[in-house]
Amino acid sequence: MNDVELRLRAGLGSIADSMQPDIDRLAAVAAGNRLRRARTTGWVTAGVVLATLFGLFAWIALPSRQVTGIPAPAAPTTAEAPITALGSLSFADRQPVPTYRSVDFSVERTGNRLTIDVVASRVDGGPPSKNNFPDVTAGTFWSANIGPGLVVALVPDRAKIAQLPNWDSQSLGLVGVGATAVALQREPGVQFDGLVWLGSDGIVQDSHHIVVPSALLKVGSTERVVYRDERVGVWGVFWSEAGNGAAMPLATEPARSVYVSSAGDGSLASAIGFLPVGGRDPELTTRPGVEWTSGELGESGRVAFLAVGAAAGAKPLVTSATYTDQTGKRLTYYP
Amino acid sequence: MVERREVQEADFLAFVDATSAYLARTAYLLTGDRDAANDLVQETLARTFAAWLRVRPGEAKVYARRILVNLNTDRWRRRPVTTAQWLDPADLANAERTVDDRDQIVRMLASLGPQQRRVIVLRFFEDLPEAEVAAVLGISVGAVKSTCSRGLAHLREDFATTREGQLS
């Protein structure tokens, strides 16, 4: 150990010892209880319907993607007997060509402990990256950076994983261990700020251990779970069809005006919009035949709307949005 | 049910008593500000209690530390651009110590980038191995090594500069 390290260890300890905590223990308990209740409330209001819709969907639709999963051996009869699940995530045929071609997971669960083996195979035929992570707690989010621009993770649920901007992600439910395996490869220079997922209980969560403000918006047969995650820095939608939805960086969103993002999916086009902070009571004018709805994202105070109409036609789905701002004034915005 | 909740709360309060000083020291080194450190610990404890049923007894401290580091990262991203104030009146009042290693390290720590500071604190105060630092910060072991190396190089330069200054 060199001189700098020795002085650092001694100096940091000395500095830290000068800090005396000033903590309100009971306030921490009360705040923790409020967080618990918020999660429970979210589950009760959204979970009953969504558990049916998304739970059924998650089990049926996720394995239909281009990744492949190998079912685990038959479940053992005792809780402590190990269960192993295997999964392979492919990044084949990507442009630009990524560093890694595939990522193979082997996850063994014994009680509530996991042993995770991950092998990442390179496109250039170089030696694969082999990693072993023993003694991981089951039922919690886990992630590791195992190579240049490659992050692997386990999400504690059969979940839909948000497609983060500038990250190419693949995911697969691991039968038997109650988790979803995720592999993400980044574009150069992109930082990993966390994962966002829609659990089988219909709740949007992220890897910072928080419930993400979200709303289930329905127009006819079109359903979207809209969310905003300030910590990960994205907003996005999960949809009930196959696929993991779309996510956009919050950094590109204007702060003081209504934000509308439109996308066409087959014969239907949809537009997602957010009112500015404090905005409420939206009224949209749309092109003919467009239907819309709105809702608040959890208890965040942010209101989102969903407009759905025929994909044909160059005119935007939403031509104006009128809302009440924080001061009570009615404003109209033209996207 | 009520009794079970009371047991949980009692367990948690015992945990707070046992670890709040440790968390506060780490938070202070990460933030450089006593008030911010206390706020950080308060929020960390609330989140830890919210997840108390899921946290294994032997892992609560590690869990709380991870929450604390993550919250600090979020706090740093949301912060207005200011320089951390490390020296408070209590420190300055101790005139005998204002020129010792402690104050020099305080100043140099404040000059590190946020990720370098996190890595340095976790490596040399928490004494965590590189792999554990990587797990806490959600980065690779290689990134921990390179960040730590850059941070130490920066500190080494500062030490050298100070010595040259003293000699001249």
Side-chain angles (χ1 to χ4, degrees), chain A residues 168-188:
Chain A
D168 186 356
S169 65
Q170 292 289 345
S171 60
L172 174 70
L174 293 175
V175 178
V177 297
T180 299
V182 186
L184 305 100
Q185 290 197 74
R186 71 171 181 218
E187 294 175 11

Side-chain angles (χ1 to χ4, degrees), chain B residues 58-70:
Chain B
E59 296 173 351
K61 185 176 171 182
V62 173
Y63 181 88
R65 182 177 62 207
R66 183 160 194 161
I67 296 277
L68 185 137
V69 172
N70 285 340

Side-chain angles (χ1 to χ4, degrees), chain A residues 9 19 87 105 139 154 171 191 198 292 297 302 310 318 321 327:
Chain A
R9 286 183 199 279
M19 172 69 191
F105 282 83
L154 276 192
S171 60
Q191 182 178 325
L198 175 67
W292 65 276
L297 273 60
R302 290 301 291 266
V318 178
T327 66

Side-chain angles (χ1 to χ4, degrees), chain A residues 86 90 118 127 146 184 203-204 255 284 305 315 326:
Chain A
L86 308 174
S90 172
V118 188
I146 62 168
L184 305 100
I203 295 175
V204 181
L284 305 187
F305 56 81
K315 198 174 175 184
Q326 283 174 311

Side-chain angles (χ1 to χ4, degrees), chain A residues 42-64:
Chain A
W43 194 92
V44 169
T45 52
V48 175
V49 174
L50 290 173
T52 306
L53 292 172
F54 290 103
L56 182 63
F57 172 79
W59 284 98
I60 295 172
L62 281 176
S64 67

